[in-house]
Amino acid sequence: MAQPVPDTAASAPSPLPNTQMMPGLTMARIWRLICDQSHGRLGYALRMAAACTTTVLIGEIWQVPELAVPALVTMALWQKDRVTNAVAGIAVNVLILILLLVIYGLVRVTLDHPMGLVIVIALLSFSFFFLGSASKLKPVAYMLGLITVYGLVAIDQVPVGEIVTRALLYTDLFLAIPGAVMIVLGLLICPSPKKILTDDIAARLHMAASLLQIPDLQTRERATALLRDGTTGMMKSARMAALEKIWSTHDLACLKQAASNSFAILALADHASRTSLREEPSSRLVKTLESMADIFSDGDYPTDIQRPVIKPEQPILEAMANLLPNFTTPSAAYNETPSKPKKSGFFTEDAFSNPDHVRFAVKGTAAVMLSYLTFKVLDWPGIHTCIITCFIVALPTMGEMISKLTLRITGALMGGALGIVSIIAIMPHLNDITGFLILIFVVSLIAAWIRTGDERIAYAGFQIGLAFYLTDLKGYGPTADMATARDRIVGIMLGNFITYMMFTSFWPSSAYDHLGSSLRKLAECLKNQGKAQAVQDKIQAAISSQAALAESERTLEYAMSEPLHMRADQPRLWAAREALDDTANLTEELLITSEKTDLSDRIARLKQIIS
């Protein structure tokens, strides 16, 4: 790599205030998150949109009805790298075999038995909602429930003579097509997980260099988001890269070490940028970080990194410089993990003792059944999308329901509006499948761009895709059916309303009730961080602290968005906010030195909130 250049004289910038964001989203913050051009986001969105469009193309060729379902499955399951996509695609195709057996058995049981169908739908809904709340199947439980229940509802609409064949064929295609697209197209257009890993490391180094100069608000928000992410995503990329069997074990070990050190570099740079006694950045250190980031961006990693000279009175910058010589050198004492964590089972520890899981399943089932009975009583089959919506929008606490309600409604209205405008202004002018696929790609890209953004807005992106696909993917090829568009948007809004009503009226669960467990976990992480002595032990402890901090901050955000009759006292919420801000600083300070005389007092302050 390029040799560091000598320091140049520079005047120290004025101290920057702490810009820790208060819980909740302002319109300005939402707009910044929408426009955020973080590393890899555009490529990820483009590939996701291409995958959704390919799924639609295959569905049109095979004339798959209700093509919106496989398109939505593709958007929900699409991953960044080729290996994770292949693994997920294979898993989906294995699951489809189980689902086919389940659907076949259920069809035999419920055929010509309407009451039996109602009972089976209720039991299936309860089972999938419970699994989504109390098991490791949470990421896909709701999607599996959606497909299974929706398959049974759709079967009820077809002629009896074709019922079994259609059930098996269409349920197969609903998951088989997205699974095949993820495997084949993912291998063709997605980068290697190793490239994702090196890009992530480079992004953190570039961010650290920016923080050491004069960072703007958006840079600081991105840095905070990266810190809260820790190294989970990078370590997952390393594991996926190992599955390819084409990368050296030594190289992957070096990249794992670099991933951990890049987190520490970013944390220290963030602390340097926010301290009231902001240190004068060393141009030599900044240039070294930028040079290292460029090498990682090229898919390689630097070796023999020269430690830049730092003044002794700059302890934060000195701590950063001390990490550079061994930045990509795996520690012999810390090659993998200090100790193998205890493996957890399929269900969570409190799966059968915590009544919240059962209550969540009951509320979800009630929402599904009320939606089902509504469109059956009204004899309005077009609004069956309310059932799909129930599985997608169910959330456990009042705070989550309210904070995401705006995203749901906004996303659904945007997607529905795009669908209706395309039917009125674009569909009549489309003469072949090419123009139709371009339309699908453009709208999918809009949805995917938001879907791949910050988790605070990602939900709206999925809702845009949901509403648009359910509006425009009717029959085969371009549609001019405005009635279908109207019915499906009504179904989505009805499903949103019914789910919200059920989850906020019966056993309403406050997010503040979950804050105590998050803060206890955070206090324990801080204790462990204070006890750590070795450099890598300190870094791993800081990573755990940041993960617990992220969980606590999100829980507090939800608690502060709850209605007044459920919301905790304002002074307690503000005290929690201040304690979390202090904890964010503490996790970074402990990377410099674990000799913090006030550590016990600051942890005790954190515990007072939950006492």
Side-chain angles (χ1 to χ4, degrees), residues 114 148 221 237 514 531 584:
T148 306
E221 289 177 350
S237 295
H514 298 268
K531 295 176 183 177

Side-chain angles (χ1 to χ4, degrees), residues 262-325:
S262 68
F263 166 86
I265 290 289
L266 180 59
L268 291 168
D270 182 61
H271 187 61
S273 71
R274 290 191 292 106
T275 181
S276 58
L277 299 175
R278 188 165 183 263
E279 301 175 12
E280 179 183 349
S282 167
S283 62
R284 185 185 293 268
L285 176 60
V286 171
K287 289 183 178 295
T288 299
L289 293 176
E290 292 284 6
S291 299
M292 292 167 59
D294 292 339
I295 295 175
F296 280 111
S297 296
D298 293 335
D300 202 353
Y301 61 91
T303 58
D304 299 326
I305 305 169
Q306 298 298 316
R307 182 189 185 281
V309 178
I310 303 296
K311 298 177 182 178
E313 61 271 17
Q314 297 178 320
I316 303 178
L317 301 185
E318 191 172 21
M320 295 176 66
N322 290 338
L323 291 172
L324 299 185

Side-chain angles (χ1 to χ4, degrees), residues 536-576:
Q536 287 302 313
D537 289 338
K538 288 183 179 181
I539 294 174
Q540 294 302 317
I543 292 171
S544 298
S545 295
Q546 285 284 341
L549 178 61
E551 180 182 346
S552 298
E553 287 178 336
R554 291 312 305 275
T555 304
L556 183 60
E557 284 187 23
Y558 295 140
M560 294 192 76
S561 63
E562 291 177 338
L564 292 175
H565 72 276
M566 287 189 64
R567 191 184 307 168
D569 297 338
Q570 195 71 10
R572 298 179 67 185
L573 294 174
W574 279 99

Side-chain angles (χ1 to χ4, degrees), residues 21-48:
M21 297 300 298
M22 290 303 302
L25 290 176
T26 62
M27 291 304 298
R29 180 90 190 276
I30 291 175
W31 182 248
R32 289 198 300 272
L33 292 175
I34 293 174
C35 299
D36 181 24
Q37 299 182 18
S38 56
H39 77 286
R41 183 179 179 183
L42 178 59
Y44 188 15
L46 285 169
R47 292 188 291 270
M48 183 181 291

Side-chain angles (χ1 to χ4, degrees), residues 491-509:
I492 291 172
M493 302 307 293
L494 178 63
N496 276 320
F497 172 76
I498 290 176
T499 306
Y500 175 79
M501 180 183 67
M502 285 296 176
F503 277 74
T504 57
S505 300
F506 300 98
W507 300 305
S509 177

Side-chain angles (χ1 to χ4, degrees), residues 110 184 224 281 290 368 387 574 594:
T110 61
V184 178
T224 299
E290 292 284 6
V368 171
I387 295 178
W574 279 99
S594 56

Side-chain angles (χ1 to χ4, degrees), residues 157-486:
Q157 311 292 321
V158 301
V160 174
E162 305 174 30
I163 196 165
V164 175
T165 302
R166 284 177 179 254
L168 296 177
L169 175 61
Y170 294 145
T171 305
D172 181 15
L173 294 179
F174 282 169
L175 284 181
I177 293 176
V181 169
M182 292 176 72
I183 295 172
V184 178
L185 188 65
L187 291 174
L188 292 175
I189 68 174
C190 289
S192 162
K194 177 178 176 289
K195 184 65 170 74
I196 296 292
L197 174 56
T198 56
D199 285 346
D200 285 344
I201 296 172
R204 283 156 176 79
L205 293 177
H206 278 306
M207 190 68 67
S210 298
L211 288 172
L212 290 178
Q213 298 174 74
I214 306 180
D216 56 21
L217 177 60
Q218 193 164 25
T219 299
R220 293 168 57 74
E221 289 177 350
R222 290 179 186 172
T224 299
L226 288 176
L227 286 173
R228 301 298 185 267
D229 288 342
T231 60
T232 302
M234 292 188 287
M235 292 305 173
K236 177 186 174 183
S237 295
R239 291 193 298 272
M240 292 296 104
L243 293 179
E244 287 190 297
K245 304 297 182 183
I246 60 176
W247 311 110
S248 164
T249 303
H250 174 72
D251 288 344
L252 293 179
C254 292
L255 290 176
K256 288 182 182 179
Q257 181 78 5
S260 297
N261 285 331
S262 68
F263 166 86
I265 290 289
L266 180 59
L268 291 168
D270 182 61
H271 187 61
S273 71
R274 290 191 292 106
T275 181
S276 58
L277 299 175
R278 188 165 183 263
E279 301 175 12
E280 179 183 349
S282 167
S283 62
R284 185 185 293 268
L285 176 60
V286 171
K287 289 183 178 295
T288 299
L289 293 176
E290 292 284 6
S291 299
M292 292 167 59
D294 292 339
I295 295 175
F296 280 111
S297 296
D298 293 335
D300 202 353
Y301 61 91
T303 58
D304 299 326
I305 305 169
Q306 298 298 316
R307 182 189 185 281
V309 178
I310 303 296
K311 298 177 182 178
E313 61 271 17
Q314 297 178 320
I316 303 178
L317 301 185
E318 191 172 21
M320 295 176 66
N322 290 338
L323 291 172
L324 299 185
N326 296 317
F327 192 85
T328 57
T329 304
S331 172
Y334 198 86
N335 192 21
E336 290 294 333
T337 53
S339 60
K340 291 185 179 180
K342 181 181 177 182
K343 292 184 178 180
S344 57
F346 177 73
F347 290 99
T348 59
E349 293 181 359
D350 64 346
F352 301 103
S353 60
N354 188 347
D356 287 342
H357 298 305
V358 174
R359 291 172 180 174
F360 177 78
V362 169
K363 290 186 287 187
T365 302
V368 171
M369 297 312 299
L370 182 57
S371 298
Y372 175 72
L373 293 176
T374 298
F375 92 81
K376 292 294 285 186
V377 169
L378 294 177
D379 193 21
W380 195 355
I383 64 171
H384 63 267
T385 49
C386 59
I387 295 178
I388 297 176
T389 304
C390 292
F391 281 100
I392 293 175
V393 304
L395 292 166
T397 67
M398 179 77 86
E400 289 174 275
M401 293 291 293
I402 293 176
S403 64
K404 292 189 176 180
L405 180 62
T406 302
L407 295 179
R408 289 188 202 136
I409 295 176
T410 302
L413 291 178
M414 287 180 61
L418 288 171
I420 291 175
V421 169
S422 65
I423 290 175
I424 296 174
I426 300 177
M427 295 291 192
H429 304 288
L430 299 181
N431 299 317
D432 53 31
I433 190 66
T434 303
F436 178 64
L437 291 178
I438 291 174
L439 171 64
I440 296 296
F441 177 81
V442 171
V443 179
S444 296
L445 180 58
I446 295 173
W449 174 260
I450 300 177
R451 176 84 173 82
T452 56
D454 188 276
E455 63 176 323
R456 293 171 176 82
I457 62 169
Y459 203 69
F462 187 75
Q463 288 290 319
I464 292 174
L466 170 70
F468 177 77
Y469 294 148
L470 291 175
T471 300
D472 280 33
L473 295 181
K474 168 68 175 177
Y476 314 112
T479 181
D481 189 353
M482 290 292 294
T484 299
R486 176 204 64 199

